[in-house]
Amino acid sequence: MATNAAEEKGTAIFLDVFRRADKSDSGFISWEEFVMHFADGVMGKEELKAIFDEIDTHNTNSIDTGELCSYFSKHLGEFRCIFASVEDLSAKITNALFATAPVYEKMNRTEKFVRRFLLRETINQLSALQLPVEAASDHLDYQAREERKDILPVEVDQFTKAPGSVIPGRIVRRAKRQVSSQSTGSESGVVGLNQQVDRLASLVDKLEHKVNFEGFTDEELVTEPDSLVLMVQRDFNVRDSHIDDFRKSLRSYVEAVQGIGGCLNVCVRNFQNTGRFSMYEIWESEEKQQKSADTDAVRSFNNDNKQNLQTDEVSSSISVPANWWKRDV
């Protein structure tokens, strides 16, 4: 459980660090997960184990959010104000992106040009900040390796789980968290600076309708039906007076569809201060997705939408290689 240290300005970012390190989604960081996330190619196994034990003040052989935040809070120094600024910047960028999405299509061409320029310049400014930090980090790593060449850095590979292993229940837990958080119009956790840069870059590409062929990879794929998964996007424009009814119907649908065989994941996004919702579903096959239409839960949701929606639902789907989905999981 997080302590007050997690609530201090500049330390909330470690909640995101914890989330990324907790690969098993258990709410704790094990020794193996600690090595996989924190090993830097410099520290030896004994050194990392000593740090792990120092953080684990409860002596449970695992680390919770409070222990992680408390430990790093004592060592932040001048980096506290940096991380505090990152927290504020992350919130401001998120607000700017949400503000852009609903109004961009209504802008004239000049206004669209200015908005795209501002987004690109934001990316440039963030990248300019990132370069000297990366250079300093690389230099410090080099110095640390040179001063103790007798220490063998810990190998992460020995802690990596077998390829293709999936932790039972993780997909459903993650999907439910996304529904509960996104449907309230808020984003949980603190998003890292690099993620914000990636989000900005993606939005600029979408606004300009560009396709990146420079990094194009020609991948030879197996074409059997079981080597593909179906990704479905469903967009809803809900009447203002029916928002609560739609949310209730949506939750029932998501809980039911997660128990239907063949549904790999479901997540929902709500565009803040609007009646717009987008739902993303991933199915093992198009056949299993179509079979779900015959269930009572799906029929009930579709019938409710006839009253709840201001305009007809817009749906699109695409089949992608199953290994793409497995990489993310």
Side-chain angles (χ1 to χ4, degrees), residues 143-161:
Q143 277 190 332
R145 283 190 292 266
E146 289 297 306
E147 68 186 12
R148 290 298 303 271
K149 292 184 178 180
D150 58 308
I151 294 180
L152 181 67
V154 64
E155 294 291 338
V156 178
D157 293 344
Q158 61 181 298
F159 295 94
T160 306
K161 295 183 181 296

Side-chain angles (χ1 to χ4, degrees), residues 34-51:
F34 182 82
V35 173
M36 291 172 63
H37 189 80
F38 287 93
D40 59 356
V42 176
M43 302 294 281
K45 183 176 181 179
E46 293 76 13
E47 292 177 309
L48 281 179
K49 188 62 168 67
I51 295 174

Side-chain angles (χ1 to χ4, degrees), residues 94-322:
T94 299
N95 291 338
L97 296 181
F98 273 118
T100 296
V103 301
Y104 180 80
E105 294 299 329
K106 300 177 183 179
M107 294 179 176
N108 59 43
R109 287 184 60 81
T110 300
E111 292 172 330
K112 289 181 178 180
F113 163 78
V114 172
R115 188 58 60 96
R116 294 196 306 271
F117 167 77
L118 294 176
L119 287 172
R120 285 197 302 270
E121 192 55 35
T122 301
I123 295 173
N124 292 336
Q125 294 298 321
L126 294 177
S127 298
L129 291 173
Q130 182 176 338
L131 291 176
V133 176
E134 288 181 343
S137 177
D138 291 342
H139 181 66
L140 294 180
D141 286 346
Y142 173 78
Q143 277 190 332
R145 283 190 292 266
E146 289 297 306
E147 68 186 12
R148 290 298 303 271
K149 292 184 178 180
D150 58 308
I151 294 180
L152 181 67
V154 64
E155 294 291 338
V156 178
D157 293 344
Q158 61 181 298
F159 295 94
T160 306
K161 295 183 181 296
S165 61
V166 179
I167 300 165
R170 181 184 175 198
I171 297 175
V172 173
R173 290 198 303 274
R174 183 174 62 183
K176 288 185 176 180
R177 286 201 310 274
Q178 288 173 319
V179 172
S180 62
S181 63
Q182 296 289 359
S183 61
T184 60
S186 62
E187 293 193 356
S188 59
V190 179
V191 182
L193 185 59
N194 285 338
Q195 291 175 291
Q196 291 288 12
V197 174
D198 291 340
R199 183 185 295 184
L200 283 168
S202 176
L203 181 57
V204 171
D205 285 342
K206 289 180 180 179
L207 294 179
E208 295 183 321
H209 303 287
K210 289 183 177 179
V211 178
N212 178 19
F213 290 103
E214 294 180 0
F216 180 78
T217 301
D218 186 7
E219 184 176 3
E220 185 175 351
L221 300 174
V222 180
T223 57
E224 284 81 358
D226 60 353
S227 67
L228 301 175
V229 296
L230 181 70
M231 303 182 68
V232 181
Q233 176 178 344
R234 304 175 65 182
D235 296 320
F236 309 95
N237 188 13
V238 184
R239 301 177 189 273
D240 292 341
S241 57
H242 289 67
I243 292 290
D244 291 339
D245 291 339
F246 178 79
R247 288 186 188 277
K248 181 178 179 180
S249 177
L250 180 63
R251 287 181 183 275
S252 298
Y253 170 83
V254 171
E255 291 177 359
V257 82
Q258 285 176 342
I260 295 176
C263 182
L264 298 175
N265 197 9
V266 183
C267 65
V268 178
R269 298 192 70 190
N270 168 223
F271 295 88
Q272 195 171 20
N273 299 324
T274 73
R276 295 171 54 203
F277 291 76
S278 290
M279 179 161 57
Y280 306 91
E281 303 175 5
I282 299 181
W283 294 82
E284 290 181 357
S285 66
E286 183 176 0
E287 179 183 3
K288 291 185 178 181
Q289 190 265 342
Q290 291 176 346
K291 284 184 178 180
S292 70
D294 295 330
T295 62
D296 293 339
V298 174
R299 284 197 296 266
S300 176
F301 178 66
N302 292 335
N303 289 334
D304 290 343
N305 285 341
K306 294 177 182 179
Q307 296 179 341
N308 294 332
L309 299 187
Q310 186 171 346
T311 58
D312 291 339
E313 169 190 335
V314 178
S315 177
S316 60
S317 62
I318 184 173
S319 294
V320 300

